Amino acid sequence: MTNLSLDAFTADLERLRAEAEQTLADVADEATLEQARIEFLGAKSGRLKLAQKGLGQVAGSDKPAAGRQFNAVKSAVEALFQQAKDRAATGPANVSAETVDVTLPGTPVRFGRLHPLTQTIRRVASIMGHLGFEVVDGPEVEDQWHNFEALAIPAEHPARDPLDNFYISVANSAEPFLLRSQTSTVQIRVMEQRQPPLRIVSLGRVYRPDTADATHYPMFHQVEGLLVEPGTTMAHLKSVLRAFASNFLGGDVHVRFRPSFFPFTEPSVEVDMEWNGRWIEMGGAGMVDPAVLEAVGYDPDEVSGFAFGLGVERIAARRFGVADIRDFYRNDVRFLEQFSDRGQA
Ligand code: PHE
C-alpha cells in the first residue's frame, strides 16, 4: 500500500525532530529522561518506530530518499537523547556550573616572613625594652669624630686599622665620612644630647674591612647597649647580659668575661656565653672610660656606666643553629624560610 507522499513523510519527520529537540532540552532528571525515551525511542510505539512504519507507505521510487531522511532524523534524535542523558547524570546545568567543590585543594597562599636577622633584631630590642632600655637609632654614614675620636681612637691609634673602611667624600665637608664600623658611635651621639640617667640600646649595620668567612662579613649588625647612672658597676653589666641571654636563648645562660681592650672602656672585657655546653664569643663590653664621660660633659665622679656591643649575626646563628653567617645574606628563600619566630618578634 502506497498512500503516503514523500512530502508528508518529510513533514512528519521534521515535526518529530523539532519536538524531540524541545522535549529532550527540558529533560532535567532520570524520570523525565525515561519518559522522553519511551516517547521517542520506544521499541513498540515510540515516535521513531511509528515513523519507520510510515516509511513502508511511501511510494517505492521515493523510498531511498525517505529512508535517508529517516536515518538522519533517527541519528539526530539519538544524539539529542545521549546529550540529555549526560546532563541528567551530572544534574541541572546551571547548578553544576555554579557549585563550588569544597573538597578540591585550595590555591596555596605564600606566606612571607621576616628575615631571621630582622626577627633577631626585633626580639633583642623587645627583651632589652623589658629591661628598661630605650631603642635609639644612629646614622650608618658617620663622621670620624663619632666613629673614632670621641671613642678615644685618634688617627694614629692602632685600633683604627681593623675599623678603617669605606670613606665617602661629602660636599662642603673638609673631612671624609665613612660607613660606621661599630654601633658605639650611638653611645656618643646619645650622651652628647642627653643627661644621665641613660639606658639605651641601638641595633643596626656596621661595616669593616673583613674577609668573608663563616663568622665574618664586611657588613654585619651589632646591638649596642649603654647604661649610665650613679653607682653602676661591672656586676650590673654582667647581670643585664645574663638576663638578656637567658631570655633570648632560653634556660639559664652563663656569661663569662675575659680581659680585653677597647679604647673607650676601662676595664674592657670580651663577652662569652655558654649554651648547650659550648662557650661562644658574643662581643665586647666594659665600663665607659671616664675620659669618654668627661669628653661628653659628664662628671665621672658622679656617674659611671657600662657599655656592650654584641654581634647580631652571632646571636642569630646561636639561636637558629646556623653554622655559616654568609647564609643569612645569600637570599636563598629555602634557607631563610626555615626560621620563624612568629608571634615573638
Ligand atoms: N664596639 C666594640 C666592637 O665593635 C664593642 C664594644 C661595645 C666594646 C661597647 C665595649 C663597649 O668591637
Side-chain angles (χ1 to χ4, degrees):
M1 221 172 100
T2 59
N3 57 4
L4 191 61
S5 72
L6 181 61
D7 281 354
F9 181 75
T10 305
D12 282 350
L13 272 184
E14 271 317 307
R15 204 173 311 117
L16 196 170
R17 185 217 290 266
E19 286 177 23
E21 212 165 280
Q22 176 115 60
T23 306
L24 288 165
D26 288 344
V27 162
D29 52 34
E30 302 286 344
T32 49
L33 180 75
E34 179 58 9
Q35 270 174 25
R37 187 192 65 77
I38 293 166
E39 182 180 351
F40 293 99
L41 304 171
K44 272 198 197 131
S45 51
R47 301 266 302 266
L48 277 172
K49 197 76 202 167
L50 297 178
Q52 196 178 11
K53 282 181 184 156
L55 191 55
Q57 297 165 24
V58 174
S61 56
D62 287 335
K63 272 215 170 73
R68 275 198 299 278
Q69 285 178 10
F70 174 79
N71 285 335
V73 169
K74 187 178 180 222
S75 316
V77 171
E78 281 171 356
L80 287 167
F81 179 80
Q82 189 55 47
Q83 284 169 18
K85 191 176 174 184
D86 292 346
R87 263 201 328 273
T90 53
N94 56 345
V95 174
S96 67
E98 287 168 17
T99 300
V100 175
D101 184 351
V102 293
T103 64
L104 281 175
T107 314
V109 176
R110 274 181 76 100
F111 276 110
R113 67 192 68 201
L114 294 173
H115 190 282
L117 291 179
T118 306
Q119 291 178 31
T120 306
I121 285 170
R122 293 196 182 177
R123 189 119 186 282
V124 170
S126 158
I127 294 170
M128 293 308 292
H130 284 105
L131 293 173
F133 288 72
E134 175 198 347
V135 177
V136 295
D137 259 342
E140 280 179 40
V141 177
E142 259 299 2
D143 53 43
Q144 300 189 63
W145 166 256
H146 290 99
N147 201 62
F148 294 127
E149 272 114 47
L151 290 164
I153 313 174
E156 70 284 357
H157 200 292
R160 271 206 190 198
D161 277 356
L163 303 179
D164 254 341
N165 58 39
F166 312 96
Y167 284 83
I168 295 158
S169 58
V170 174
N172 302 324
S173 165
E175 274 190 63
F177 281 55
L178 78 163
L179 298 177
R180 68 176 175 195
S181 43
Q182 48 192 343
T183 43
S184 301
T185 52
V186 186
Q187 288 182 36
I188 304 300
R189 288 190 170 271
V190 170
M191 287 193 287
E192 282 172 342
Q193 281 165 17
R194 301 195 201 172
Q195 290 300 311
L198 279 182
R199 286 185 189 195
I200 59 103
V201 71
S202 190
L203 299 107
R205 289 193 189 106
V206 301
Y207 303 83
R208 291 194 187 172
D210 285 350
T211 304
D213 64 24
T215 54
H216 295 86
Y217 207 72
M219 182 282 302
F220 60 101
H221 299 74
Q222 285 189 324
V223 46
E224 188 86 11
L226 171 71
L227 181 148
V228 183
E229 279 169 27
T232 307
T233 70
M234 293 282 277
H236 299 122
L237 169 62
K238 199 166 191 178
S239 299
V240 165
L241 286 172
R242 185 166 173 178
F244 162 73
S246 301
N247 214 311
F248 187 86
L249 295 170
D252 191 10
V253 178
H254 292 261
V255 169
R256 176 173 79 182
F257 286 164
R258 281 180 289 117
S260 186
F261 173 80
F262 298 101
F264 45 94
T265 47
E266 179 59 35
S268 301
V269 294
E270 297 291 327
V271 181
D272 298 338
M273 289 176 187
E274 190 200 13
W275 201 57
N276 285 347
R278 277 180 66 204
W279 287 98
I280 311 282
E281 187 185 320
M282 289 295 190
M287 300 305 291
V288 181
D289 193 310
V292 172
L293 294 176
E294 253 170 29
V296 296
Y298 291 1
D299 180 353
D301 291 332
E302 263 179 35
V303 289
S304 52
F306 68 68
F308 61 85
L310 311 178
V312 171
E313 279 76 357
R314 292 195 179 175
I315 295 173
R318 206 76 285 279
R319 178 170 160 72
F320 294 127
V322 170
D324 189 331
I325 66 164
R326 286 170 293 189
D327 286 333
F328 286 130
Y329 314 119
R330 285 195 177 110
N331 277 341
D332 185 334
V333 173
R334 291 167 303 177
F335 170 79
L336 296 173
E337 72 183 359
Q338 301 172 82
F339 310 107
S340 181
D341 257 352
R342 211 168 280 158
Q344 295 189 316

